[in-house]
Amino acid sequence: MKAKIEQLLRARTGPMTCELVLRPGDFGLGRVPSRLTPAGTARSICGFCSTGCSLKIHLNRKGEAINLTADPDYPVNLGMACPKGWEALTPLAASDRATSPLLRNPAAGRLGPVSWERALAAFVENFQGVQRRHGPHALAFLSTGQIVMEEMALLGALAKFGMGMLHVDSNTRQCMATSHVAYKQSFGFDAPPFTYADFEESDVLVFVGANPCIAHPIMWQRVIMNKRNPTIIVIDPRKTETAMLAAQHLALRPKGDLPLLYGLARQLIQLGAVKRDYLAAHTTGFAEFEQFVAGFTLERTAAESGVPVADLVRCAESIARGERVSFWWTMGVNQSHEATRTAQAIINLALMTGNIGRPGTGANSITGQCNAMGSRLFGNATSLLGGYDFASAPHRAHVAGILGIDTARIPAEKSWAYDEIIDGIERGDIRGLWVIATNTAHSWINSGRFAAIRAKLDFLVVQDMYATTETARMADLVLPAAGWGEKDGVFINSERRLGVTRKVARAPGAALSDFAIFQLVAEAWGCRDMFRAWSSPAAAFGLLKQLSRGQPCDFSGIRDYAQIEEAGGIQWPYPEAREPRPADRERRLFSDGGFFTPDGRARFHFDEPRPMPEPTDAEYPLILMTGRGSSAQWHTGSRTDKSAILRKLAPNALHVEINPADAAPRGIADGARVAVRSRRASIEAVAFVTAVVQPGTVFMPMHFPEVNKLTFPAYDPHSRQPSYKACAVAIKPLAS
């Protein structure tokens, strides 16, 4: 009897006990639960943000993923992962995965499952019908920075060279178009100059419109690893998590960044911090810039930016004293009505102080999505594959020769940008739209407009992992796509590092990789012969290597995927003649002072600041800012919302941050339900009364579908990137 009682109190066998037993995991994994003991591992680059962390995927004896850990040997994340990375496998098992093609029945008005044969027939019949009725350019696609480089390139080539489309773009327009244009104008090519080691090697780090604590947590961990006791300066209207940890927080007025940066440039000139020998040898246009910023006195800068003179002086002195100063920016700069000139104002600061090309320096744009850099080089939208120019006949001939196609198939005309495609739908110029791995109905600025003009499309195709996104629910045809972890290919991260993502799970049902879907479309469309060389992602990578040869982004020296994995990722440039070196794990650009412009000199670009497109008034007295809500959320939540763990780590209801000085006179208490109203829509949220936001401003996280109904459709004139960060709103409490 005693033995039975002992066994009941302390069971040494049975399912619960086995679940809790830890066994050696092998493969350098330490101890793991017995049910999760792997038979092997595979390395794969994470498919969320642009950091490009490597994950060790634990595989069972069938080669299926059962768990993961962060890769301790990869030079990007050094064994760390953020919440999204740890949960990367969970979205693959979501119950709402698209598992078969879905075609809308016109009579019933509902989507229903069909075979791939029927889906492809509907695709071709409807899209070719649009072209017959309205011309070849009446078709467009909107794609993503979330699929692998080989898929992006095949899609762009298929659409423009095979299907006759002209107007194509991707959601990279929403996050990185500004950096692309700014770098191209200033440096001669879209070339982020830094390596992540610079986070650890700076004396002064200046973050402008960037909150890496939340948006890029592993990059912030690299900052924390800096042993040089750096001065951290944050320029941001909100007291973000990063600003709370900074030595200096310049809490500027929303969109006061351009006059502030010009004022800092003038003050640095006054302090004698300009490296005039460097400027004379390696740049063009500084004399004109110096004359231009002379008008941005401390008093004018303070008045236009909202930053006190003393704070401006202190910031400039810190930069002037720094031996290694790095400047970092993200969406707070890129998503603005004058974003390109703001990014270039940052670039100008780095150039004039000689903080470029050396360890711990640089004008450094932190990319958003896992493969936005790949999209910028090989999306075939704004630039011809490999960073070439559609308008250049020699460039078109060169690309056509590599791909083995008729040069006449490559258009010389410029593609419309995302906002211009939306305008084209409203005018009736675009009648067929193919949306790949993005959620336009949620994420596009003034999102209610897309829903309103949807009826003007003759046919809408959505290709996605899920049939439940806001855009997929509007579709005439849904094509079920494999996600990260269900296909092979290459991502390029923020520091130009190529990394391989691996297939470690089977896509559910009849879902296929985007690459396979594009091959099927080419076959059904009747242009498959043009793409015989694109037989697999690995074969496509070989073509992209050839396209990169001789370009600033040259990676023709990379043998194959295996070499990338063995090297811990490879940063471009990596030309064919290059011999591998120990220092290759961390490389930066412009160390020799040479840039990619025709004369090898960097350019200074500048313009007068312009007022916000939608100012406040008596009816709409507050400025709404939007941005990342937490490190557990990603974009529109189509993947992160599938994880119970990530949902627990993130806000579960839409909230609006409001300063106590604005809440009190409106009778708004913390936790109260409020209505937030712009000139376009009114939505409900929970008030979060906090001094994190300044008086006169409110903040809402972008991940909730209601938020972009409020935003004002303004765009940077150079990059056509939307200005999500500032629109006029009113707020009032709702009756309880």
Side-chain angles (χ1 to χ4, degrees):
M1 179 62 72
K2 184 177 179 182
K4 287 183 178 180
I5 293 172
E6 172 68 17
Q7 186 167 349
L8 288 171
L9 292 174
R10 189 175 297 173
R12 300 183 185 278
T13 59
M16 288 294 291
T17 302
C18 292
E19 283 285 304
L20 296 172
V21 170
L22 296 178
R23 300 186 184 281
D26 298 327
F27 312 103
L29 299 180
R31 298 171 69 81
V32 300
S34 58
R35 65 183 174 85
L36 296 176
T37 302
T41 62
R43 286 184 166 87
S44 188
I45 302 303
C46 181
F48 280 108
C49 83
S50 68
T51 306
C53 298
S54 177
L55 304 172
K56 292 182 78 169
I57 313 298
H58 307 185
L59 307 173
N60 63 17
R61 295 189 183 280
K62 297 179 182 178
E64 300 165 335
I66 55 174
N67 203 356
L68 62 79
T69 47
D71 188 343
D73 301 317
Y74 201 66
V76 167
N77 52 313
L78 308 175
M80 300 176 284
C82 79
K84 295 183 295 295
W86 286 108
E87 280 294 285
L89 292 171
T90 303
L92 302 182
S95 60
D96 63 340
R97 287 292 301 271
T99 58
S100 71
L102 302 172
L103 182 63
R104 191 171 298 280
N105 183 318
R110 293 192 301 271
L111 290 165
V114 295
S115 67
W116 270 106
E117 291 77 11
R118 178 71 187 96
L120 291 164
F123 182 103
V124 172
E125 176 186 345
N126 284 278
F127 274 177
Q128 289 187 348
V130 164
Q131 290 183 317
R132 283 193 302 271
R133 294 189 300 273
H134 305 289
H137 299 165
L139 288 183
F141 78 62
L142 296 172
S143 182
T144 182
Q146 297 284 149
I147 58 178
V148 297
M149 186 169 68
E150 298 84 347
E151 292 175 334
M152 291 172 174
L154 177 54
L155 169 63
L158 167 63
K160 284 198 171 183
F161 311 155
M163 298 170 65
M165 289 190 201
L166 176 61
H167 303 306
V168 307
D169 207 355
S170 78
N171 60 14
T172 307
R173 182 73 58 181
Q174 295 164 265
C175 61
M176 299 315 301
T178 289
S179 296
H180 169 86
V181 175
Y183 279 141
K184 195 168 183 179
Q185 291 182 353
S186 295
F187 295 160
F189 197 80
D190 180 8
F194 64 97
T195 182
Y196 292 159
D198 292 322
F199 284 121
E200 301 178 39
E201 297 182 14
S202 297
D203 300 319
V204 180
L205 297 100
V206 183
F207 292 97
V208 187
N211 186 14
C213 279
I214 290 300
H216 298 88
I218 304 309
M219 294 191 197
W220 181 250
Q221 291 302 312
R222 299 292 297 265
V223 175
I224 297 301
M225 294 166 68
N226 188 314
K227 296 179 180 179
R228 299 176 66 88
N229 191 28
T231 298
I232 297 173
I233 301 170
V234 171
I235 300 174
D236 200 298
R238 282 177 77 228
K239 195 172 184 64
T240 63
E241 291 81 356
T242 308
M244 293 175 189
L245 296 170
Q248 300 175 39
H249 174 210
L250 277 60
L252 74 168
R253 186 177 298 122
K255 304 331 306 166
D257 40 11
L258 193 52
L260 184 149
L261 294 166
Y262 288 156
L264 286 177
R266 180 187 182 277
Q267 188 63 15
L268 286 166
I269 293 169
Q270 297 287 312
L271 292 170
V274 177
K275 305 298 184 187
R276 295 188 182 272
D277 289 347
Y278 180 88
L279 293 174
H282 303 297
T283 73
T284 296
F286 177 72
E288 295 81 357
F289 179 68
E290 184 174 19
Q291 184 177 359
F292 170 77
V293 299
F296 287 85
T297 63
L298 287 171
E299 292 72 25
R300 175 187 172 182
T301 302
E304 294 185 14
S305 69
V307 175
V309 167
D311 291 350
L312 293 169
V313 171
R314 183 185 177 205
C315 176
E317 289 175 345
S318 296
I319 294 170
R321 283 196 302 268
E323 191 176 310
R324 301 176 174 187
V325 182
S326 57
F327 301 87
W328 309 85
W329 79 89
T330 57
M331 300 311 125
V333 168
N334 288 351
Q335 294 175 341
S336 165
H337 69 288
E338 48 189 7
T340 300
R341 291 297 181 252
T342 305
Q344 288 167 332
I346 299 170
I347 292 171
N348 294 345
L349 291 178
L351 290 172
M352 63 188 282
T353 58
N355 279 298
I356 198 157
R358 296 183 290 110
T361 67
N364 305 327
S365 165
I366 301 174
T367 312
Q369 301 176 83
C370 58
N371 202 24
M373 187 77 243
S375 173
R376 286 145 67 179
L377 293 174
F378 290 104
N380 211 34
T382 303
S383 300
L384 182 55
L385 294 170
Y388 288 99
D389 186 353
F390 279 105
S392 167
H395 286 190
R396 295 196 303 274
H398 176 72
V399 171
I402 291 172
L403 299 183
I405 63 173
D406 184 348
T407 305
R409 304 290 303 195
I410 302 179
E413 305 100 308
K414 181 183 177 184
S415 171
W416 288 343
Y418 204 130
D419 66 295
E420 295 167 323
I421 291 172
I422 299 297
D423 289 345
I425 295 171
E426 187 160 41
R427 289 193 308 268
D429 295 331
I430 299 294
R431 304 298 288 266
L433 183 66
W434 187 7
V435 177
I436 303 99
T438 192
N439 191 8
T440 303
H442 177 148
S443 65
W444 189 244
I445 201 162
N446 185 22
S447 59
R449 182 184 178 210
F450 184 79
I453 65 175
R454 159 63 184 96
K456 296 194 174 187
L457 289 169
D458 294 353
F459 204 68
L460 172 62
V461 178
V462 173
Q463 184 169 317
D464 206 287
M465 293 173 67
Y466 308 102
T468 53
T469 69
E470 290 84 355
T471 313
R473 292 198 295 266
M474 297 179 177
D476 296 300
L477 175 65
V478 176
L479 302 179
W484 170 90
E486 296 169 342
K487 54 189 177 181
D488 294 331
V490 169
F491 294 146
I492 305 180
N493 75 352
S494 283
E495 57 169 357
R496 315 177 319 282
R497 187 179 300 273
L498 283 75
V500 179
T501 183
R502 286 297 189 182
K503 180 177 180 179
V504 293
R506 291 189 62 180
L512 298 171
S513 71
D514 293 287
F515 195 92
I517 294 172
F518 301 147
Q519 288 179 311
L520 290 175
V521 168
E523 190 78 51
W525 197 269
C527 60
R528 183 70 178 95
D529 285 346
M530 290 180 62
F531 302 100
R532 292 296 175 193
W534 304 71
S535 57
S536 67
F541 182 73
L543 290 172
L544 303 188
K545 284 169 51 180
Q546 294 181 57
L547 288 166
S548 78
R549 184 179 288 114
Q551 287 287 84
C553 62
D554 191 339
F555 54 86
S556 59
I558 297 176
R559 184 184 70 248
D560 52 20
Y561 292 165
Q563 183 187 1
I564 297 174
E565 290 180 312
E566 291 162 5
I570 297 176
Q571 291 174 286
W572 64 256
Y574 198 89
E576 205 160 20
R578 183 180 177 84
E579 290 294 327
R581 306 166 196 167
D584 279 349
R585 284 169 72 89
E586 300 278 2
R587 290 185 293 124
R588 56 190 59 81
L589 300 179
F590 313 133
S591 58
D592 61 355
F595 295 87
F596 299 124
T597 54
D599 62 3
R601 292 170 172 268
R603 305 284 194 266
F604 279 81
H605 288 275
F606 49 91
D607 277 323
E608 281 288 341
R610 296 181 290 116
M612 280 195 302
E614 187 178 50
T616 57
D617 59 19
E619 187 176 0
Y620 299 95
L622 302 172
I623 296 174
L624 169 65
M625 303 176 291
T626 67
R628 187 68 57 85
S630 73
S631 61
Q633 292 169 291
W634 179 250
H635 287 195
T636 67
S638 56
R639 286 188 291 161
T640 49
D641 285 353
K642 304 300 188 291
S643 163
I645 291 173
L646 296 181
R647 290 197 305 272
K648 286 181 180 179
L649 294 174
N652 58 15
L654 176 59
H655 64 277
V656 56
E657 296 176 0
I658 182 169
N659 189 276
D662 294 317
R666 291 171 172 80
I668 295 172
D670 191 51
R673 297 288 302 174
V674 296
V676 184
R677 180 169 55 91
S678 75
R679 294 180 176 90
R680 291 152 294 284
S682 179
I683 66 175
E684 295 184 11
V686 175
F688 180 31
V689 180
T690 173
V692 162
V693 290
Q694 301 178 45
T697 68
V698 295
F699 172 85
M700 301 182 82
M702 66 181 185
H703 315 288
F704 296 86
E706 301 89 347
V707 173
N708 276 323
K709 294 177 181 178
L710 300 174
T711 48
F712 180 74
Y715 308 94
D716 175 76
H718 305 283
S719 68
R720 306 304 306 169
Q721 185 155 348
S723 178
Y724 286 97
K725 300 301 184 186
C727 73
V729 298
I731 184 168
K732 67 177 183 179
L734 293 170
S736 56

